[in-house]
Amino acid sequence: MKVKSFLLVSLGLLCLSSCASLFLTTSYDVGLTSVEAPKDAKQQYGETQVVMLNEDGVSKYSYEDDLIKITWFTTSTSFEFVLRNKSSHSIKIPWDEIAYINPNGESMRCIHSGVKLIDRNNAQAPSIIAKNSSLSDMLVPSDNIYYVSGNYGGWQTKNLFGKYSSQEAANTSVYRGSKVYIVFPIIIENVTNEYTFQFQVKDIIVK
């Protein structure tokens, strides 16, 4: 009986340890480190600046010139943003021309909110932002979307920089310190203004 009890206790502890790891979440501290603005941006759109914000414990990064103001923050699977049109004209966002450059230097197509995951490879209609108005949206690399069959399957989205079972594993991740880019064209009066946002994975947090 003692042996049986010992085995039951051991199995229970093992289950508690392994089951606890199932409920851990992985999050990232991803900072906007630089912005490559359109050519002669200072002459066209005035001085530029990148500012770090902290809202309710969430790190956000804002870039601003005379044409736009965009504030970024990162979830486990997406880059979320609020884009304000500061110009006196409407601007167009050509979603199919936006590219995400991953830590390996591979260029990926992105989808934005409202697009069904099953339609990740289909053409996306551009969005129009009227003057002095804003758009809240997000970008998800389409290559990170996949389908899992079975009763508990369906469309899934991979974490941007991996998922970890412990903080120790996250601390040794190859993604810590890596850089990624988002190439983000904005069309105004039929002129394409291409912005390139550089981000760095400052930390990976497992809780």
Side-chain angles (χ1 to χ4, degrees):
M1 291 295 294
K2 290 183 178 180
V3 173
K4 184 177 180 180
S5 298
F6 175 78
L7 289 174
L8 288 173
V9 171
S10 298
L11 288 172
L13 292 173
L14 180 62
C15 180
L16 286 174
S17 176
S18 59
C19 291
S21 66
L22 295 176
F23 297 99
L24 292 174
T25 59
T26 301
S27 60
Y28 314 112
D29 179 5
V30 180
L32 177 63
T33 52
S34 67
V35 180
E36 183 179 323
K39 186 178 180 182
D40 300 325
K42 287 187 178 181
Q43 287 76 13
Q44 296 182 54
Y45 312 130
E47 293 297 322
T48 64
Q49 58 177 333
V50 176
V51 177
M52 178 183 174
L53 312 169
N54 192 295
E55 298 182 5
D56 300 323
V58 178
S59 296
K60 300 183 179 182
Y61 295 82
S62 177
Y63 166 84
E64 184 173 8
D65 58 27
D66 287 348
L67 178 62
I68 64 167
K69 178 179 180 180
I70 186 168
T71 301
W72 294 93
F73 66 98
T74 308
T75 71
S76 60
T77 58
S78 66
F79 289 87
E80 311 227 351
F81 66 90
V82 178
L83 174 60
R84 179 168 180 79
N85 177 7
K86 297 174 59 179
S87 77
S88 56
H89 304 276
S90 294
I91 63 177
K92 182 187 293 186
I93 309 301
W95 298 108
D96 285 345
E97 297 178 26
I98 292 176
Y100 169 67
I101 314 299
N102 72 9
N104 298 321
E106 300 165 333
S107 179
M108 297 182 177
R109 166 188 169 85
C110 293
I111 64 170
H112 69 112
S113 62
V115 177
K116 295 180 180 179
L117 299 186
I118 193 173
D119 296 327
R120 67 197 185 283
N121 294 321
N122 293 348
Q124 304 170 94
S127 294
I128 304 295
I129 308 176
K131 62 181 181 181
N132 299 317
S133 65
S134 300
L135 171 70
S136 297
D137 215 310
M138 67 180 201
L139 297 173
V140 177
S142 59
D143 285 359
N144 285 0
I145 299 168
Y146 62 100
Y147 185 80
V148 176
S149 59
N151 293 334
Y152 300 100
W155 289 98
Q156 309 286 337
T157 304
K158 295 179 184 177
N159 281 25
L160 287 168
F161 307 109
K163 189 174 183 180
Y164 304 89
S165 58
S166 68
Q167 186 61 55
E168 290 75 15
N171 290 342
T172 59
S173 170
V174 295
Y175 293 118
R176 293 184 85 246
S178 65
K179 295 179 180 179
V180 297
Y181 304 84
I182 292 178
V183 180
F184 200 114
I186 292 171
I187 301 173
I188 179 169
E189 293 192 290
N190 295 319
V191 176
T192 299
N193 303 274
E194 188 173 274
Y195 290 84
T196 301
F197 298 93
Q198 177 183 279
F199 300 87
Q200 184 172 33
V201 183
K202 296 183 175 181
D203 200 5
I204 300 175
I205 305 98
V206 178
K207 291 183 179 180

